[in-house]
Amino acid sequence: MSVPSLPMNDGRSIPQIGFGVWQVPDAIVTDATLCAFENGYRHVDTASIYENERGVGEAIARSGLDREDLFITTKVWNRDHGYDKTLANFEVSLDLLGIDEVDLYLVHWPAAMYDLYADTWRALVELHRQGRARSIGVSNFKAPHLRRVIDETGIVPVVNQIELHPWLPQTELRALHAELGILTEAWSPLASGELLDDPVIGAIGSKHDRSPAQVMIRWHLQIGNVVLPKSITPTRIKENIDVFSFELDDEDLAAIASLESGRRTGPDPDYFDEL
Ligand code: NDP
């Protein structure tokens, strides 16, 4: 299974499907990630707060794959915001991952109440300048956060990784991303599993002889998102990347659009202050 890549605004490219590993314990993330690699995933999305970078690193080392064929993302956590702390945290992540460079380093949340995200972004700009973070982006940023880091540094994040699924299609923010040249990465693309039993999604799946997860992943691909499905179940890991031999039609897309409710499964970034 070969996943297409999308061009980023820094001249690099990113595989459109990434393997999400949030809530996957370090003890099992190695097997899950190796299973993903065996099924064709080449992009892994971790974070320092997931406490599984060591296990992801072990999968990278054991995979036998060429490092240049992999795309590894990690993120700096809220308590590590600030210029110096971010630089220090980056070293810890690289060490745990056992690699010399990450493909993508993200500011995990703006945590704007602490007002350190612009300094954190400056540290990412420096890591990018050094070539150790090959690309840099943000996560959970709203329009004012995006505009501030761009205004203060002149550097546009390559991606903004945000909660996005049929309940929360993020139409306005996606339009701003398009205007600024930022790719949209969708986290909790299956609404953390909560949308798998939705009858509208189920009916579209029956029509195409595909599972609800495949319908949703296909929807993300067709609207231009980078999509990060998570599973620790080998059959599902395989199923979630087997989405390139069918296509949703306009009627399917309209039916999925009708599911918009604004419902989040995770926190609203304006109020998320966890350290
Ligand atoms: P998803 O929306 O990917 O849903 C995962 C859930 O769906 C799990 O319970 C999984 O079960 C189940 N599932 C997956 N595939 C299938 C399938 N084919 N059939 C049936 N059930 C399935 O959820 P996440 O919330 O984990 O988000 C995905 C990724 O997004 C994260 O792992 C992380 O990388 C990123 N993320 C980023 C955040 C951020 O702040 N930047 C916040 C949250 C997530 P099982 O594993 O048991 O198979």
Side-chain angles (χ1 to χ4, degrees), residues 18-24 44-47 50 75 77 106-109 138-140 161-165 186-194 196 211-214 217 227-237 239-240 265-267 272:
F19 185 58
V21 296
W22 178 43
Q23 294 177 317
V24 182
V44 183
D45 184 79
T46 185
Y50 299 172
K75 317 182 187 90
W77 186 242
L106 303 181
V107 182
H108 204 147
W109 292 84
V138 295
S139 177
N140 299 301
Q161 184 181 124
I162 54 174
E163 180 175 354
L164 202 167
H165 41 67
W187 65 252
S188 293
L190 313 173
S192 274
E194 289 184 44
L196 291 164
S211 73
Q214 288 174 317
I217 293 166
V227 56
L228 306 169
K230 171 265 176 186
S231 177
I232 54 168
T233 313
T235 51
R236 294 173 175 173
I237 292 171
E239 176 185 317
N240 292 349
T265 60
F272 189 66

Side-chain angles (χ1 to χ4, degrees), residues 5 17 29 44 53-54 67 74 76 93 99 127 129 145 150 180 194 203 212 214 250 253 262:
S5 288
I17 297 182
V29 79
V44 183
E53 289 168 308
R54 191 206 56 79
R67 171 68 185 89
T74 194
V76 57
S93 287
I99 54 182
L127 290 166
R129 193 196 62 75
H145 313 126
I150 296 167
L180 296 173
E194 289 184 44
Q214 288 174 317
D250 290 346
L253 296 173

Side-chain angles (χ1 to χ4, degrees), residues 43 119 137 253 271-272:
H43 168 183
D119 285 342
L253 296 173
Y271 306 104
F272 189 66

Side-chain angles (χ1 to χ4, degrees), residues 165-193:
H165 41 67
W167 283 333
L168 189 72
Q170 300 266 22
T171 312
E172 232 175 275
L173 196 46
R174 284 178 51 242
L176 178 65
H177 291 169
E179 187 188 315
L180 296 173
I182 298 172
L183 287 177
T184 304
E185 288 195 314
W187 65 252
S188 293
L190 313 173
S192 274

Side-chain angles (χ1 to χ4, degrees), residues 24-31 50-56 58:
V24 182
D26 205 37
I28 62 168
V29 79
T30 306
D31 283 349
Y50 299 172
E51 296 183 340
N52 59 17
E53 289 168 308
R54 191 206 56 79
V56 169
E58 196 175 322

